[in-house]
Amino acid sequence: MKKVAIQGIKGSYHHKVAVDYFSNNIETLDCLSFDELVSSIVKNKCDVGVLAIENSIAGSIIPNYSLIDNSGLKVVGEYYINIDHQLLALKGKKIDDIEIISSHPMALLQCKDFIKQNPSITIIEAKDTAQVASEIQKGKIENMAAIASFEASKLYGLKVLKKNIQTIKNNETRFVIISKNYDDNNTEFDKASLKFVLSHKTGSLAKILNILSDYKLNLTKIQSLPVAEITWKYSFFVDTTFENIDNLKEALIKVEEHSESLKVLGIYKKKIL
């Protein structure tokens, strides 16, 4: 049985991805922070982890790029799910009974229009969507609602007060699967995650992008992050798809020649949307 680290507890969106990606034949380790999740794999407490990396509304989860980079773990897969946020409370309660809404900051951000429509309700940030649902049930907290998944409502016996309260209904989150165990020679792989650091020379980024294009690599994501040790210097995190892994390997040789440093964060099979 594979042991999978997730951010949150059962009923969280990370838990849903773990079950969908690996099937039910898994054991999950609940982690209440991304740092704890990554550490559990580094310390061999888990085989793999599920890590949210970007959302179609809120954008990139920038600290998680650095976590992958600094941990030495590799991206070995990806998965997308539609995030449908439900407002959950104890059975028998109505919205008029709710004085507090609590959830993960990302979930709160994704439901900002609903929150604005209810200005009298106090908002409290929490470490996990499903954990709030669990705490409401265990503590029989009558004046609190959670923003969490429909799965959490079933697991913790809560009522859905309001369905699909996310601001934008087509609200997708991309998750990556991270692990110590890594195979970069599988000919079925068609996506890579890279990190490179460039000089301040004019056209240095354009040069890299041209190399990717020359070798028929399709850029699907680019994210810049400052290099902490050097003022005004940036590293670039890139996702790219390809049809031939040999094209990728040849492109990487060229990219390394024209960058100050290059790290392959993972080569894996892309999720077909």
Side-chain angles (χ1 to χ4, degrees):
M1 183 177 290
K2 189 178 291 293
K3 194 167 186 179
V4 183
I6 61 171
Q7 192 275 319
I9 65 174
K10 289 180 175 62
S12 67
Y13 296 103
H14 280 75
H15 179 250
K16 175 175 172 55
V17 171
V19 171
D20 288 353
Y21 190 88
F22 294 106
S23 78
N24 281 307
N25 191 30
I26 58 171
E27 177 185 357
T28 55
L29 175 67
D30 301 343
C31 304
L32 290 183
S33 72
F34 292 124
D35 294 81
E36 183 184 348
L37 187 160
V38 168
S39 177
S40 70
I41 307 169
V42 172
K43 295 179 178 179
N44 298 314
K45 294 180 181 179
C46 285
D47 306 302
V48 295
V50 171
L51 185 70
I53 199 72
E54 60 180 314
N55 175 263
S56 59
I57 298 174
S60 298
I61 306 174
I62 291 176
N64 287 357
Y65 284 89
S66 295
L67 274 176
I68 297 171
D69 181 26
N70 296 330
S71 67
L73 301 178
K74 296 291 186 179
V75 178
V76 298
E78 66 175 359
Y79 200 79
Y80 293 76
I81 62 168
N82 202 64
I83 304 294
D84 296 319
H85 290 306
Q86 320 299 323
L87 187 69
L88 311 180
L90 292 174
K91 292 180 178 178
K93 296 301 170 183
K94 300 177 181 178
I95 290 183
D96 290 343
D97 300 319
I98 302 304
E99 298 173 349
I100 300 168
I101 293 176
S102 182
S103 194
H104 188 277
M106 188 66 72
L108 295 173
L109 178 63
Q110 292 163 10
C111 300
K112 62 181 180 180
D113 283 1
F114 175 82
I115 290 170
K116 285 180 181 178
Q117 293 166 12
N118 296 273
S120 63
I121 297 177
T122 300
I123 304 301
I124 298 178
E125 293 186 353
K127 291 184 177 180
D128 178 48
T129 57
Q131 185 187 34
V132 178
S134 174
E135 289 174 352
I136 290 172
Q137 180 55 252
K138 288 179 181 178
K140 305 301 179 187
I141 306 174
E142 297 187 353
N143 67 338
M144 181 183 285
I147 294 176
S149 67
F150 182 68
E151 287 78 8
S153 74
K154 293 189 292 182
L155 275 171
Y156 302 111
L158 297 180
K159 174 185 178 181
V160 178
L161 291 182
K162 184 82 173 175
K163 294 181 179 180
N164 301 335
I165 63 171
Q166 65 274 11
T167 300
I168 299 175
K169 300 311 175 187
N170 185 20
N171 173 24
E172 277 196 335
T173 293
R174 176 183 174 228
F175 296 78
V176 290
I177 314 303
I178 54 176
S179 178
K180 275 186 176 181
N181 301 316
Y182 179 61
D183 172 18
D184 62 355
N185 288 308
N186 191 324
T187 56
E188 294 184 0
F189 289 164
D190 54 9
K191 190 168 185 178
S193 294
L194 315 173
K195 174 206 172 184
F196 50 82
V197 178
L198 302 178
S199 69
H200 282 301
K201 292 180 181 178
T202 302
S204 58
L205 178 58
K207 180 67 176 179
I208 299 298
L209 299 182
N210 285 334
I211 291 170
L212 299 182
S213 176
D214 290 344
Y215 285 90
K216 300 180 181 179
L217 274 60
N218 179 40
L219 185 70
T220 61
K221 172 75 176 180
I222 184 166
Q223 178 73 53
S224 63
L225 291 181
V227 177
E229 300 82 7
I230 307 173
T231 305
W232 304 120
K233 198 172 193 67
Y234 290 85
S235 54
F236 294 87
F237 292 82
V238 164
D239 292 327
T240 182
T241 58
F242 52 90
E243 294 183 0
N244 187 318
I245 198 167
D246 290 332
N247 283 354
L248 171 70
K249 292 180 177 179
E250 290 175 16
L252 291 180
I253 293 171
K254 294 293 185 181
V255 170
E256 190 165 25
E257 289 175 358
H258 291 88
S259 61
E260 293 188 358
S261 67
L262 169 67
K263 180 187 286 188
V264 178
L265 300 176
I267 304 174
Y268 48 96
K269 185 72 176 174
K270 69 183 177 186
K271 173 66 177 175
I272 298 175
L273 302 178

